[in-house]
Amino acid sequence: MAKVSGKFRNFLYTGDNGYTVALFRVKKLYDDELADFLNKTITVTGSFINPNTEDTYILEGSYIEHPRYGFQLKVNTYEKTMPTDEDALIEFLSSKLIKGCGEKTAKAIVDHFGSDAINIIKESPDRLYEIKGIKELTINKIYSSICSYTNADETLVYLKKLGFGINECSLLFNKYGDGIKEIINDSFYSLLDLVDFNKLDNIYINNFNPKSDERALACIVEAVKNLDISTGDTYHYKDDIYNAFINKFRFDLDKDKFDKYLSKLIKDEDLILDEDKIYLNSSYDDECIIANKLLRISKNGIQDKISFSMLENDIKTSNIIYNEDQRSAIKTALNNPITIISGGPGVGKTTIINAIVRSYMTFYHITNMDALNKIALLAPTGRAAKKLAASTLMPAYTIHRFLKWNKETDDFQVNEYNPNMHQLVIVDEVSMLDNHLFASLLKGLTSGIKLVLVGDVFQLPSVGPGQILFDLINSDCFPFIFLKQIYRQSENSYIPYLARDIKAKDTSDELFERKDDYSFIDVDVQNIKATIRKICEKTKEKNINESDIQILAPMYKGENGIDNLNYIMQDFFNPKDESKKEITYGYVTYRENDKVLQQINNPDCNVFNGDIGFIKKIEKVKDKVTKDVITIDFDGNIVEYNKEDLSMIKHAYAITIHKSQGSEFPHVIMPICHSYNRMLYNKLIYTGVSRAKKSLIILGERKSFIDAINNDYSTNRQTGLKDKIMHNFSS
């Protein structure tokens, strides 16, 4: 932790949330190692409350090397130092901070009151009449300025004593100012838009009555949010909410009292009651937005009358013979405002997307250059977007990037007030979309478009609440084509058929028969790791390396969990070597050439959750201070990380099946054993199998494999979207 004292020279950027980038002149150091900074101007970043160039500040933080902006002091905490000696007091009172007080008046005040002048004025402003010749207007200006100046500091101290961190203090003060104390006293949990619930609730428990009505109401809403996240449902029933509330927050509350709280929340529209279904207001709004916007697109979207024969010449040039379902999918997508296309692996979904794009461009005489402004190809993840771009030879984007997501504010710059103007919008991997992201996408589109939604309805549902693809298909309100015919990836390809059999719960002996591109290896749980290593040794002999091999498992912890598999596979694929530099973060050691997974969207660097890359370089960079810089190559996108940024990545020799969605891998290894049992179910296994492109090896216990195929754990979620869509369209 570095500590310096000095004054701000200039403010380069100040956000609405108090985040500031500024130039800071260092006047004092608290660390001999930083001697080079004395009397120098450095760049600082952090959250501040009304910073100014007049005061002296003590800053504490860490030195970082920003990949775009260079060396910075990242401030974690700070304090303003009040002037104490008489010369500093005179300088302060005659500064721009204090209105109505020139240098002559300031000197007279300090001469009369001494070093305690500020406290005396604040506590007894009438004493300023003791200064000869001072006027009432001047007294009022000086007193008001000092109060305004010191109130911010007092509020900061008050918030820190309650338990808020400096970033939270800045956010709260910049939004509410001195009124934050009133908010805390009258409506504490309204601060949830700025502070995490668990942090806020702990502060409340430590400072106020933990059994208050205010806390009970807030905790009920939080219980509903937790249910949304844990179940994927968008609505719940009263008894489920009551049980979740009692179990999580340990309130001693009977059902009659709970019903009264629930009624108040519904009356205040924090929760929405629809018959006997109870929604978060945001979840209800998302479903309404989706249903309403889809109706408007259906009415106002682009409707053409394009026969397949009109496209015959263009189709022939592609040297692809389309079956009846595929021809129907292309024609339907070109002639309707909204079209849904689904099917399992190997049925040609990306081929159809390519045909739709090319046919649309041909019919409307759109050049490749014009297509950038008229056709948008979107996917939920970076890898899915790259796959889409590769299949169409056109740019494809993550939905977050397309909507210009702001990481700091967690909102989208492309929205209902600033919509995108593309004409044809194709979204791939729609099964991964949750309600909120789909609602946000629709808000960012005009109604006069052609929308094509593509995905595999049998894959895992979204991580967030909702089941978009399932609900849209089952509403029966949109043209829907299901592609059934499997096209072999090679003459003896079995993987797509295996996925189909798993979906159908076919557990015949063929599951365990060796095929050209598939093997099941029967091995007990103790030998899974050793067997995976032997498999990798054989693949290495065939010049297949870790970039083409992906291990997929359902959970992180345990003997055969992802964390342990990564440790073992790192030792195999990228063992310790004096020629390779290393860096340790927490309990994990990363070294050059390691395969890693990005876990957090970072649109500034064009790297997204689920992207896989390789560490190319770890080096110590000397720029005023020495720091670690980690360079990672994500398929040609070079991104630099500081050591503290390593929380964004994990090793990727083994990843979860959830993280693999939207991706394809040439060779997949998938262990299955009873220690995974609580995480094994049909859709999970189906999704993992359908990630393999050239070869698939499943190893482990036959019984666990069969049980997983027969396990319907991932049942349909409780959502109201289908009913809302049907109601809108029937009206």
Side-chain angles (χ1 to χ4, degrees), residues 323 326 341-351 387 428-429 431 454-460 482-490 493-504 517 662-665 668 682-694 696:
N323 66 35
Q326 291 175 322
I341 300 169
S342 186
V347 297
K349 295 190 293 296
T350 51
T351 301
K387 186 177 75 172
D428 197 11
E429 299 288 353
S431 65
V454 183
D456 185 348
V457 72
F458 296 106
Q459 278 190 30
L460 289 169
F482 184 75
L483 304 173
K484 299 181 288 291
Q485 184 173 333
I486 294 173
Y487 287 83
R488 294 177 181 267
Q489 295 162 337
S490 64
S493 177
Y494 175 68
I495 294 169
Y497 296 94
L498 173 64
R500 183 193 63 186
D501 291 345
I502 288 171
K503 180 182 67 181
D517 61 348
S663 302
E664 285 183 340
F665 308 99
V668 169
N682 186 282
K683 279 194 174 184
L684 188 85
I685 301 301
Y686 172 85
T687 302
V689 165
S690 60
R691 300 306 91 204
K693 198 171 181 181
K694 292 182 179 179
L696 169 69

Side-chain angles (χ1 to χ4, degrees), residues 42 101 121-122 132 144-145 181 268 374-375 384 386 452 510 544 547 585 689 709:
I42 63 173
C101 189
I121 294 169
K122 191 175 177 190
K132 188 177 179 181
S144 297
S145 297
K181 293 181 182 178
D268 294 342
K374 294 184 177 181
I375 300 173
K386 287 172 187 172
V452 182
E510 193 171 13
I544 299 172
S547 62
Y585 183 81
V689 165
I709 292 171

Side-chain angles (χ1 to χ4, degrees), residues 190-222:
S190 66
L191 303 178
L192 277 171
D193 59 335
L194 299 176
V195 183
D196 169 73
F197 180 87
N198 290 330
K199 176 69 176 285
L200 199 64
D201 194 44
N202 283 332
I203 291 172
Y204 190 92
I205 291 169
N206 292 331
N207 294 278
F208 306 101
N209 176 15
K211 296 182 179 179
S212 70
D213 290 349
E214 180 182 11
R215 180 169 181 256
L217 291 166
C219 289
I220 291 171
V221 174
E222 183 65 14

Side-chain angles (χ1 to χ4, degrees), residues 629-646:
V629 176
I630 303 94
T631 303
I632 302 179
D633 182 354
F634 293 96
D635 292 332
N637 178 28
I638 308 300
V639 183
E640 288 188 350
Y641 293 76
N642 297 314
K643 186 172 183 178
E644 57 265 32
D645 298 327
L646 292 179

Side-chain angles (χ1 to χ4, degrees), residues 522-535:
D522 200 342
V523 58
D524 61 46
V525 67
Q526 291 84 9
N527 292 316
I528 282 178
K529 298 190 299 297
T531 305
I532 290 176
R533 188 178 180 103
K534 286 179 183 175
I535 293 168

Side-chain angles (χ1 to χ4, degrees), residues 599-645:
Q599 297 196 101
I600 298 171
N601 288 331
N602 187 356
D604 289 343
C605 297
N606 193 29
V607 60
F608 295 88
N609 184 7
D611 285 354
I612 292 176
F614 286 84
I615 296 177
K616 290 302 178 186
K617 189 163 52 175
I618 298 172
E619 58 186 336
K620 290 194 178 294
V621 176
K622 172 79 171 171
D623 184 0
K624 300 183 180 178
V625 293
T626 301
K627 58 195 334 16
D628 296 298
V629 176
I630 303 94
T631 303
I632 302 179
D633 182 354
F634 293 96
D635 292 332
N637 178 28
I638 308 300
V639 183
E640 288 188 350
Y641 293 76
N642 297 314
K643 186 172 183 178
E644 57 265 32
D645 298 327

